[in-house]
Amino acid sequence: MKQALMASARRLPGVNMFEQGHGKLNLMKAYQILNSYKPQASLSPSYIDLSECPYMWPYCTQPIYYGSMPVIVNITILNGLGVSGKIVNKPQWHPYTPQHGHLLDIAISHSELLWPWSGWMAVHLSVASEGATYEGLAHGHVTVTVESPPGFGEVEPRQSTVNLPIRHKRILWDQYHNLRYPPGYFPRDNLKIKNDPLDWNGDHIHTNFKDMYQNLRNTGYYVEVLGSPLTCFDASQYGTLLIVDPEEEYFPEEILKLKRDVDAGLSVIVFADWYNVTVMKKVKFYDENTRQWWMPDTGGTNVPALNDLLAAWNIQFGDRVFEGHFKLNDHEMYYASGTSIRNFPKDGIVVSQKLNDQGVQILGENDNIKYKTPILGLLQTKSTEKSGRIIVYGDSNCIDTSHLELACYWMLDAMLEYTSTSHLPSIFKDNQMFSWGNTADTDYPRRMEGNRLYRYSKVLERNLGESQARALPQCPHLVWTHPIPLNVSAPSNLYQSQKLLSLIEEVNLPIHNVDNVIKDASGHDTSGEFIEWSWRNKPAEATNKNESFDFTVTLLVFLSIVVIYYCVKLYRPKPKKRKLCKRLLNIVQCRRISTV
């Protein structure tokens, strides 16, 4: 029960783990986890990242270095195998040599008996002598095997092996195949938005996918941008390749290389968009500046190119355009001008929904029928024992900030959970399509004849009237600038912004008071956080001004109270003595009462 509650909790942003524990409870998700739970061991926290602030505070406040006292992180071992258990052999440290894991010295101590249901493990981290001059990150993981007695009706003892990553999670964003505006006409992704016909944002994580990028950073992922072909990155350094709304074609070498990478363990997530030649011709427009008709060079996404990329796994998108609202469990979703899945392996998981044919509506025809549309597919490839996973979704608008109606960052988090851990979230299993019967019929999308994509493409070139792939360009190799050392101390104002060369030194320029605010480098919004460090962000004289102001206000309030008190005391009317009260007092005191 504790494992389910902790695994389903939602992490609170901007709060360290000692303040929030595992975050905010999500009882519905915990119930779904329990429905598919298998006895296993788990760790709390499940990873150690000394660079993740503020969640790993105070470990992230300063780096570890050679000669310092070892950093000790206490890990709770939750044993779901049984009420009692033990650690088999000893925990093992597996450093990643390419990521400088061998520069870390790790010492581990643990409880001899896991009872009841739990135990502890202390991880001591220090820097080896070889890392005395190294500055950067080092990665590895610790493997722990837990064993408990056999359960009812079982013969063999129960065992569970769990890893404690001492590393970071890396996602590679494919930017090379997202074509830049404005050279050609690349139409908008959401066909409902008629006043913004061009996809001019460039589909970058720092433009229209900024909120998605921030969500990934807040979740703890590291996102890197690939500005070169798929043949130019080492797939073993990354967990997931993210391909979102590409307009570019793919080199044949890229297709073959991606197949090898997935077989070696790389996972791929694809967010596609609409593609239909008839609709593309319909959304053409006349440009008064160039005095010519502008015809789209591709759809919202280059679906034929994506089909070529995914052909090795028998995955295909269709050529119809669908739109509509639907729900995935408790999540409201909007499918804005997306494509559908035309073909998917039988051993994969496909999710379908009832959607409208938006392409027919764009062409001016009436069609109120809702079609059963496959929109999401999840596949565990099986070419090798360590093959990666592939997820395809037919619409990218729910993670695009440009014309966002309903965000689906939660779904992206669930996808990354599947690609990085192979754990299938229950929301996908709950909405799985078991039969392809009555699904919307779609044709295989063909490239539009006469398109001019080759003019703006880094992959295509025109030869004898037909477009074909160029020669694969060489991967970029940086030439480092030769250093010229200066045997002087750095100036004290080096961090300050320098004056522009066009300004004359003698001219008196207005000085604007700008507060230098220390911000968290992790990407989290840290406004109002780290109160104990707030003195860093205040000007030196701010404290004295506030104290003198508070003293003056307090003195004025006190004097006002004193004046009001004396005024009330002086001008308060004296109470009249009543005769009856006077006579009663005389009786009590046994005095003679006058009859007159």
Side-chain angles (χ1 to χ4, degrees), residues 191-266:
L191 292 172
K192 284 176 55 178
I193 310 300
K194 298 182 179 179
N195 59 350
D196 192 8
L198 301 179
D199 188 10
W200 57 273
N201 289 290
D203 294 336
H204 196 278
I205 58 175
H206 297 150
T207 56
N208 51 316
F209 291 100
K210 179 183 65 176
D211 291 347
M212 179 216 70
Y213 168 74
Q214 189 64 47
N215 177 78
L216 293 176
R217 289 295 296 116
N218 292 343
T219 310
Y221 292 99
Y222 290 79
V223 185
E224 300 179 19
V225 178
L226 177 64
S228 54
L230 299 181
T231 55
C232 296
F233 78 99
D234 184 2
S236 64
Q237 304 296 318
Y238 301 92
T240 303
L241 174 65
L242 200 55
I243 301 176
V244 179
D245 192 18
E247 296 91 6
E248 182 63 280
E249 296 284 339
Y250 292 90
F251 290 102
E253 295 86 349
E254 291 182 294
I255 298 175
L256 296 176
K257 198 258 187 180
L258 184 63
K259 177 64 168 61
R260 295 193 300 268
D261 290 342
V262 173
D263 292 343
L266 179 70

Side-chain angles (χ1 to χ4, degrees), residues 457-472:
S457 173
K458 301 182 288 289
V459 177
L460 298 178
E461 64 179 357
R462 192 171 185 179
N463 188 9
L464 299 177
E466 295 184 359
S467 299
Q468 62 182 19
R470 304 173 184 263
L472 181 68

